[in-house]
């Protein structure tokens, strides 16, 4: 993915895959798409599987980029199966936190309302109804928004303009031997891909007829051509064309005696399947169980067995990459593999015919469960960024495993176990709404008390607290309180105390926390509470007007966390220390701790509610150091985030009162017009610009506002 920071208006430019340097053909279609995106709110690019819809959409977006000063975003939907998570996926692509209890389509509409931008929804056919509903709502709210969707069918939304992508032009029968055959787009594409497989490959008089015949037989379908090209490593082009002829004569005759294009693609994939050896076919089928990209270790644990021994799998993987059945991404230890949808669908069909689907789904689930349990036990250590990245990399497969568990009448406990073990991913890493979605379904599906249910209730309680939904938090307290496992009492007490601090019942919260007897050696929830409770006590003392006690507790929390290499709770302790320093009349120290808190969380920057808290305290501290203009802009950046979150300052009255007092003081210094100007600049700032401002980076264009 490639992203950049905007210039026009200072907006973020979005995320769009790099275009292909050797993109072939589609001149007329691209010109039409670019023209339509100027004037039509919704353009849908349709066509059969393998016709190149995604690549054409990306190329069109690059060519139209200058028309969208507020950015272009690509939302890949092929890995998504649950239509309820469509808004979450779009929000993730836009880097809009999904953390509040507001309807997420409303949050997205607010974000896009005043932007001139392009949103690509790629591979919509399996979510057509959900995509249609969301697109309709977003376009109604955002007049400057353009949507380019791709799929095998239109979305059927009023005002939609459909562009159907045909296969690439191929030489007609009788034109194969002519020199002009090499100028057809299908031949040009096959030649380009063949050169990747066999460097130096060229179309000349000796092979021109065979290449043209091959392209015509494959109906000019780009994916079919790309699957055929790698076989030139082991077969001459004439043999590839002859074998395709034989296969089509046997298997691919459609109505009227001509190969239908859907049949063409299936036949081309099936031909590649036939050319694979037995081990490659088996691994192809088994690896289709992965919803997203996967690494070699995942393949070894999920797909080994029978002839696919652990020692044999690496070589089989390499052969599937060489034949383009698997696409390889990354380098070295970070190499991951993925399948295109149509290739995965073919493998899944063979897996069903082998009778292994149920077994592979169970092994896939068990692999994800084992990963989640390891992450749960290791999260409080010094590898949080690594674990965040590891879980993020398998996010699509976590979803698939949860759906598998929740769809199995006997899988409720596994769903609780998986969703609860990933509490840190949902809560700390900014996926609150999605986590709550799965946790609530799992808690409803399996009501038997035990450690998995306690962990899931704890995770849901943390999320609902961050959303300000105190009623739902109280439900989680009750679930934990009625459980009998050793961690349940700790989880219940911590959630109840945290809820009380948000209700400004701080003395009661301190009493509950003071009664806790914690053993961090138990790990998981117990260790998390052992590290968290000092920070929560410090927060309560700040609100009670005891800043010295708060500062001491925050320091102790920070030291404890640092000893373990834990960064997220260090960030919370730094934030509370900043509040305490403010109350002690030391705004410079408050600035230092506020920035430290933000820096510690930046690798997990989707945690936007925490970023907003840090921006608020930095605004107060910056005002205290005399930088009124910067403080007003920081208030604006924070307000933009709180608007998205939907509950400013998490509903804590003392925090809201401090922010209001800061605004009044800044208006007195800057005047109403000066405050509004600086505050509006903060509201318009990008995520990156807000962070830079908070961390003390001042540009020439903002220096005059600090006086």
């Amino acid at each position: 993915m490639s992203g950049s920071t905007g210039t026009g208006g200072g907006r973020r430019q979005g995320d769009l895959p790099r275009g292909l340097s050797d993109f072939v053909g589609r001149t007329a279609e691209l010109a039409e798409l670019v023209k339509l995106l100027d004037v039509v709110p919704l353009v849908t690019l349709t066509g059969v599987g393998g016709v190149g819809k995604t690549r054409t959409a990306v190329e069109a977006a690059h060519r139209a980029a200058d028309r969208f000063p507020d950015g272009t975003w690509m939302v890949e939907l092929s890995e998504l199966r649950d239509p309820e998570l469509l808004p979450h996926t779009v929000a993730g692509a836009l880097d809009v936190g999904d953390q509040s209890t507001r309807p997420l389509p409303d949050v997205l509409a607010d974000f896009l309302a005043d932007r001139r931008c392009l949103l690509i929804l790629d591979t919509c056919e399996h979510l057509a109804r959900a995509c249609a509903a969301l697109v309709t709502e977003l376009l109604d709210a955002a007049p400057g928004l353009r949507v380019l969707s791709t799929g095998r069918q239109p979305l059927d939304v009023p005002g939609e303009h459909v562009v159907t992508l045909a296969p690439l032009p191929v030489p007609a029968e009788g034109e194969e031997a002519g020199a002009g055959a090499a100028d057809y787009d299908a031949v040009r594409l096959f030649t380009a891909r063949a050169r990747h497989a066999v460097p130096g490959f060229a179309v000349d008089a000796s092979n021109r007829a065979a290449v043209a015949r091959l392209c015509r037989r494959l109906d000019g379908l780009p994916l079919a051509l790309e699957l055929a090209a790698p076989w030139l490593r082991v077969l001459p082009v004439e043999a590839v064309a002859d074998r395709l002829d034989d296969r089509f004569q046997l298997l691919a005759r459609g109505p009227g005696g001509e190969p239908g294009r859907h049949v063409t693609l299936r036949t081309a994939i099936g031909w590649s399947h036939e050319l694979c050896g037995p081990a490659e076919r088996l691994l192809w089928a088994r690896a289709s169980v992965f919803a997203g990209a996967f690494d070699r270790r995942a393949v070894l644990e999920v797909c080994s067995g029978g002839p696919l021994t652990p020692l044999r799998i690496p070589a089989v993987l390499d052969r599937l990459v060489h034949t383009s059945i698997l696409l390889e991404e990354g380098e070295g230890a970070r190499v991951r593999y993925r399948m295109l949808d149509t290739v995965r669908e073919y493998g899944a069909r063979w897996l069903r015919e082998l009778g292994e689907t149920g077994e592979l789904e169970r092994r896939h689930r068990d692999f994800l469960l084992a990963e989640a349990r390891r992450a749960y036990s290791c999260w409080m250590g010094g590898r949080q960024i690594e674990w965040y990245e590891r879980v993020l990399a398998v996010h699509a497969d976590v979803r698939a495993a949860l759906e598998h568990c929740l769809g199995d009448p006997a899988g409720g406990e596994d769903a609780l176990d998986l969703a609860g073990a990933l509490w840190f991913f949902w809560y700390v890493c900014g996926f609150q709404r999605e986590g709550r979605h799965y946790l609530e379904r799992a808690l409803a599906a399996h009501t038997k008390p035990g450690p998995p249910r306690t962990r899931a209730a704890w995770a849901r309680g943390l999320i609902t607290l961050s959303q300000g939904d105190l009623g739902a938090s109280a439900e989680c307290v009750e679930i934990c309180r009625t459980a009998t496992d050793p961690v349940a009492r700790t989880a219940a007490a911590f959630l109840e105390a945290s809820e009380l601090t948000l209700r400004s019942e701080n003395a009661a919260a301190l009493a509950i926390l003071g009664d806790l007897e914690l053993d961090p050696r138990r790990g998981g929830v117990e260790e998390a509470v052992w590290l968290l409770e000092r920070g929560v006590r410090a927060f309560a003392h700040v609100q009670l007007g005891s800043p010295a006690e708060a500062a001491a507790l925050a320091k102790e929390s920070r030291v404890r966390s640092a000893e373990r290499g834990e960064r997220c709770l260090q960030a919370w302790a730094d934030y509370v220390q900043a509040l305490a320093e403010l109350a002690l009349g030391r705004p410079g120290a408050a600035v230092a701790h506020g920035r430290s808190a933000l820096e510690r969380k930046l690798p997990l920057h989707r945690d936007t509610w925490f970023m907003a808290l840090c921006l608020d305290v930095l605004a107060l501290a910056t005002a205290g150091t005399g930088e009124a203009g910067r403080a007003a802009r920081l208030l604006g950046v924070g307000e933009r985030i709180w608007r998205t979150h939907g509950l400013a300052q998490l509903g804590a009255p003392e925090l809201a009162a401090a922010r209001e007092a800061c605004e009044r003081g800044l208006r007195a210094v800057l005047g109403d017009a000066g405050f509004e100007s600086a505050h509006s600049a903060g509201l318009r700032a990008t995520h990156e610009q807000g962070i830079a401002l908070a961390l003390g980076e001042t540009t020439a264009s903002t220096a005059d506002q600090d006086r």
Side-chain angles (χ1 to χ4, degrees):
M1 301 291 285
S2 64
S4 59
T5 301
T7 54
R11 295 293 180 85
R12 181 183 168 210
Q13 290 297 299
D15 288 295
L16 186 65
R18 295 183 185 279
L20 293 175
S21 59
D22 56 353
F23 189 89
V24 174
R26 304 297 188 200
T27 303
E29 295 95 329
L30 287 168
E32 182 183 9
L33 287 169
V34 171
K35 182 178 178 180
L36 286 170
L37 289 172
D38 251 348
V39 294
V40 178
L42 170 62
V43 180
T44 295
L45 191 57
T46 66
V48 298
V51 80
K53 297 182 291 294
T54 299
R55 286 182 176 177
T56 302
V58 170
E59 185 68 18
H62 279 289
R63 297 189 184 193
D66 61 349
R67 292 160 168 80
F68 301 103
D70 292 327
T72 298
W73 284 271
M74 177 88 165
V75 187
E76 298 173 354
L77 300 176
S78 62
E79 297 175 355
L80 183 64
R81 293 293 174 264
D82 184 352
E84 290 188 40
L85 295 180
L86 173 63
H88 304 67
T89 305
V90 174
L94 296 175
D95 207 17
V96 174
D98 69 344
Q99 303 174 30
S100 74
T101 55
R102 293 176 63 202
L104 196 48
D106 291 353
V107 175
L108 292 169
D110 286 349
F111 177 81
L112 294 167
D114 64 343
R115 284 171 161 80
R116 172 73 177 172
C117 59
L118 173 63
L119 188 63
I120 303 174
L121 299 180
D122 185 44
T123 315
C124 297
E125 58 265 15
H126 61 301
L127 302 166
R129 184 175 299 178
C131 287
L134 181 61
V135 165
T136 300
E137 186 166 351
L138 296 182
L139 290 176
D140 285 346
L145 174 65
R146 297 288 182 266
V147 177
L148 175 58
S149 72
T150 75
R152 298 178 192 178
Q153 64 189 55
L155 297 183
D156 291 329
V157 171
E160 177 183 28
H161 191 104
V162 178
V163 176
T164 301
L165 210 59
L168 295 172
V170 297
E173 209 164 342
E175 290 185 290
E176 297 99 329
D183 295 329
Y184 281 85
D185 285 345
V187 176
R188 291 173 56 221
L189 177 64
F190 179 79
T191 304
R193 300 300 175 257
R195 285 177 183 145
H196 288 300
V198 182
F201 177 84
V203 177
D204 54 29
S206 67
N207 63 15
R208 187 183 301 124
V211 171
R213 179 161 51 94
L214 181 152
C215 292
R216 191 175 65 253
R217 176 56 78 191
L218 292 177
D219 212 13
L221 279 171
L223 178 57
L225 296 169
E226 293 187 6
L227 288 172
W231 292 106
L232 297 185
R233 293 189 180 101
V234 294
L235 294 170
V237 67
E238 293 80 3
V240 174
D242 289 342
R243 293 193 183 195
L244 277 170
D245 272 339
D246 293 342
R247 180 170 180 84
F248 270 79
Q249 288 169 7
L250 288 171
L251 300 176
R253 292 294 172 184
E258 292 298 324
R261 284 165 180 165
H262 289 287
V263 179
T264 298
L265 184 59
R266 288 199 302 271
T267 304
I269 296 173
W271 175 76
S272 286
H273 189 263
E274 286 184 359
L275 290 179
C276 288
E280 286 90 347
R281 295 179 199 171
L282 183 58
L283 186 55
W284 179 350
R286 289 180 176 177
S288 70
V289 76
F290 292 104
F294 49 90
D295 61 15
R296 187 164 292 192
R297 186 172 64 87
V299 175
L300 290 171
E301 295 198 27
V302 175
C303 301
S304 61
L308 290 177
T309 65
L311 289 176
R312 192 177 184 187
I313 280 178
V316 179
L317 273 174
D318 289 342
R319 288 197 292 273
L320 288 176
V321 170
H322 283 308
T323 54
S324 295
I325 303 305
L326 291 178
L327 304 180
E328 190 176 64
E329 303 169 339
E331 298 178 353
R334 293 181 176 270
V335 166
R336 300 184 68 79
Y337 308 91
R338 66 180 178 90
M339 289 184 186
L340 295 175
D341 289 347
T342 47
V343 175
R344 183 189 294 110
E345 289 165 6
Y346 193 94
R349 182 170 69 82
W350 273 95
L351 193 65
R352 288 193 296 272
E353 293 194 12
L354 291 170
E356 291 191 356
T357 299
E359 173 62 21
L360 265 293
E361 286 179 342
R362 286 190 292 273
R363 294 176 71 172
H364 177 263
R365 173 205 64 198
D366 291 345
F367 171 74
L368 270 299
L369 264 172
E371 282 288 279
R373 288 167 179 159
R374 280 195 289 270
Y376 176 79
S377 63
C378 295
W379 177 252
M380 287 301 164
R383 298 165 58 198
Q384 289 183 329
I385 296 174
E386 176 188 340
W387 277 109
Y388 163 66
E389 291 175 346
R390 284 177 65 167
V391 177
L392 190 64
V394 297
H395 191 183
D397 283 282
V398 168
R399 287 172 169 172
L402 283 166
E403 292 295 338
H404 172 69
C405 293
L406 291 166
D408 180 353
E413 186 170 10
D414 286 333
L416 279 176
D417 200 355
L418 178 54
L422 293 177
W423 70 271
F424 67 90
F425 185 67
W426 314 126
Y427 173 62
V428 174
C429 303
F431 294 92
Q432 281 96 330
R433 194 188 298 254
E434 181 179 334
R436 183 171 179 175
H437 169 78
Y438 282 122
L439 289 162
E440 288 179 346
R441 291 173 62 191
L443 286 163
H446 188 78
T447 57
K448 182 180 178 180
R453 186 166 172 79
T454 296
R455 286 193 293 269
W458 145 265
R460 178 177 178 250
L462 289 175
I463 290 169
T464 54
L465 282 170
S466 73
Q467 295 175 320
D469 190 350
L470 302 187
S473 174
E475 294 171 11
C476 299
V477 171
E478 192 58 31
I479 291 173
C480 294
R481 184 177 286 139
T482 56
T484 57
D485 54 283
V487 178
R489 178 177 174 273
T490 298
F494 179 79
L495 291 175
E496 184 177 11
S498 299
E499 179 189 334
L500 288 169
T501 63
L502 293 179
R503 295 185 186 275
S504 293
E505 298 179 37
N506 296 291
L510 289 172
I512 291 172
L513 292 171
D515 288 340
L516 282 177
E517 296 178 3
L518 300 169
D519 184 356
R521 293 172 298 180
R522 294 177 184 171
V525 172
E526 194 93 353
E527 186 178 12
V529 173
W530 185 77
L531 290 172
L532 273 166
E533 58 91 19
R534 288 292 192 276
V536 176
R537 283 195 201 189
F539 184 67
H541 276 292
V542 166
Q543 297 191 96
L544 285 169
S546 305
E549 291 87 339
L553 286 164
K555 181 179 179 180
E556 185 179 350
S557 177
R558 197 167 61 254
V559 168
R560 280 182 172 184
S561 300
E563 287 172 350
R564 281 168 160 69
E566 198 286 334
R567 63 188 302 130
C568 295
L569 301 186
Q570 284 188 71
W572 175 255
D574 262 319
Y575 164 72
V576 179
Q577 181 104 36
L579 291 175
E581 297 292 349
L582 268 178
L584 290 167
R586 299 194 288 248
V591 168
H593 283 290
R595 288 176 177 170
S596 177
L598 195 55
E599 286 176 325
R600 292 189 199 281
K601 288 298 293 288
L602 278 180
L604 311 171
H605 67 269
R606 290 195 55 177
D607 189 0
T608 53
W609 66 266
F610 184 77
M611 180 181 175
L613 287 174
C614 290
L615 285 162
D616 280 358
V617 76
L618 282 168
L620 271 63
T622 302
T625 63
E627 295 181 272
R630 182 186 289 273
R633 291 198 304 281
L634 286 169
L635 283 180
V637 176
E639 184 172 331
R640 176 176 55 80
I641 296 173
W642 286 125
R643 287 179 183 179
T644 300
H645 186 273
L647 185 68
Q649 292 77 53
L650 303 181
E654 290 85 355
L655 296 181
R659 197 177 195 280
E660 291 167 3
C662 180
E663 178 176 334
R664 288 194 300 272
L666 291 173
R667 286 183 182 275
V669 173
L670 296 170
D672 287 342
F675 174 84
E676 292 295 343
S677 176
H679 185 262
S680 295
L683 282 172
R684 294 192 304 270
T686 66
H687 178 86
E688 292 82 1
Q689 289 170 333
I691 289 173
L693 182 67
L695 295 181
E697 300 172 12
T698 304
T699 64
S701 62
T702 62
D704 61 325
Q705 299 180 48
D706 291 331
R707 292 195 287 269

